[in-house]
Amino acid sequence: MEQINEYIAANKERFINELIELLKIPSISADTAFSEDVLETAKLVKKYLEDAGCDNAEICETKGYPVVFGEKIIDSNLPTILVYGHYDVQPPDPLELWTSPPFEPVIKETEIHPDGAIFARGACDDKGQMFMHVKAMEFMVKNNQLPCNVKFMIEGEEEVGSDSLAEFLESNKEKFTNDIILISDTGMIANDVPSITTGLRGLSYVEVEVTGPNRDLHSGIYGGAVPNPINVLNKMIASLHDENNHITIPGFYDKVEKVSDAERAEMAKAPFNLDNYKKALDIDDVQGEKGFTTSERYSIRPTLDVNGIWGGYTGEGAKTVIASKAYAKISMRLVPNQDPDEITELFAKHFKSIAPKSVKVKVTPHHGGLPYVTKTDSIGYKAAAKAYETTFGKTPVPERTGGSIPIVALFEQVLGSKTILMGFGLDSDAIHSPNEHFGVWNYLKGIETIPYFYKYFTELESNK
Ligand code: BES
Ligand code: MN
Ligand code: MN
């Protein structure tokens, strides 16, 4: 396996340039104006899988955007690793905040990435991280180092909730049988503090509409005498948290997994510096649920956040108006034992119940997803930990993250498979934000580390 470093040194420029080609295509799954680009990206991913040595690479139709499949089966008696990733990206707006255009990748140095980082939408989430697996596969195939079978499932709808994937998975169970699923679509604590993600939060996402009068009104003639849906909506939203930042929806916490003091103490060992955290975000104080630390608030506790709110006049100057309608998009991050459908229902019931008689309320559910946690005593986890030890020289820290990858819980339900989350991005890489980037060092470190996971997983599996 020593050749991996030589191979990376010799092919580094090409690895970067190939990723740049992938990043140039605006595969924005949320916006149908880009559907051709999403499809073109799938084709390029397929080509890259073939180039890397997949025997069968295929674009599989789903009821939405296609899944790109690839595999190399060397011996059916050996374990099979299924690599999952996504080739779709988030919309890049607000465009004016990017220092270089989101789909014209450039390498720039940053304080955290002195070796340079690739700036582009999708650089870290998830084209760059997904592509590490393709390049690791190329190394293993070209150098006769592939120790087991491998399958790829690279989807195009992750950023919009993987809507078509459940059905696709159900009807293609055979195709995706595996011994472990490997995903790089999360982060790690720092370049000198490798970590393995052991938990993802679930998600319930709703849109609300509050209607007051049947038309927009003159705010002088009617103001003070009629319900203003924007005022009402804000009051309703404000009431969803109490003074301790607890969520007030009845039943919301009923099923929340209680993490033991021992587990919390174990988690608290993961390095976290509150001052640096605040400094990086330019906030003078943090805010969150009473009784929990900052890292607990974003990992083991459920949340409710407004993601967008609109209504009325937002153009230039002042228009005196009472809007007929006000809207908000609200997400709830969920933790083990909370069920997204149940939570959506509790939310809808409560939200309607707190509305004054003067307005009408509509709640529309969007996508949801179940949370996921894994243990650190599995073969998969041990193999991953050993891989990091080999290439980082440090034992990785297990860490539950606040983000969601709903398909991970589904993999367990439908395929009975466990997932190992080996993320190489950093929180400061600005995923979903303007100026998303992925450190060149992180990209290459990922390519270097992945083949060791294959090696150790195969060894541990055959010795069990
Ligand atoms: N890769 C992210 C999830 C993520 C990022 C997890 C960093 C942990 C650390 C994924 O692409 C994502 O953005 N997921 C969405 C949910 C999805 C249903 C749109 C999310 O977490 O908001
Ligand atoms: Mn992602
Ligand atoms: Mn994402």
Side-chain angles (χ1 to χ4, degrees), residues 6 11 57 107 143 161 166 179 186 191 194 222 224 295 331 430 432 435 450:
E6 281 163 42
N11 294 283
I107 298 178
N143 294 278
D179 295 282
T186 54
N191 283 358
Y222 289 96
S295 17
S331 68
H432 293 208
N435 305 311
I450 290 163

Side-chain angles (χ1 to χ4, degrees), residues 251-287:
F252 185 84
Y253 292 101
D254 281 4
K255 294 192 177 166
V256 166
E257 167 205 52
K258 192 167 168 358
V259 180
S260 69
D261 289 347
E263 273 177 281
R264 285 174 73 184
E266 191 56 39
M267 285 174 189
K269 286 186 192 154
F272 179 81
N273 182 308
L274 191 58
D275 283 330
N276 292 346
Y277 187 80
K278 289 193 282 193
K279 222 176 276 161
L281 302 175
D282 208 359
I283 49 175
D284 291 330
D285 205 358
V286 290
Q287 192 185 309

Side-chain angles (χ1 to χ4, degrees), residues 86 90 125 158-159 432:
H86 61 97
Q90 284 280 329
D125 184 13
E158 196 278 341
E159 297 292 9
H432 293 208

Side-chain angles (χ1 to χ4, degrees), residues 98 151 182 204 388 402 415:
W98 285 77
K151 294 178 181 177
L182 182 59
S204 156
Y388 285 94
L415 301 175

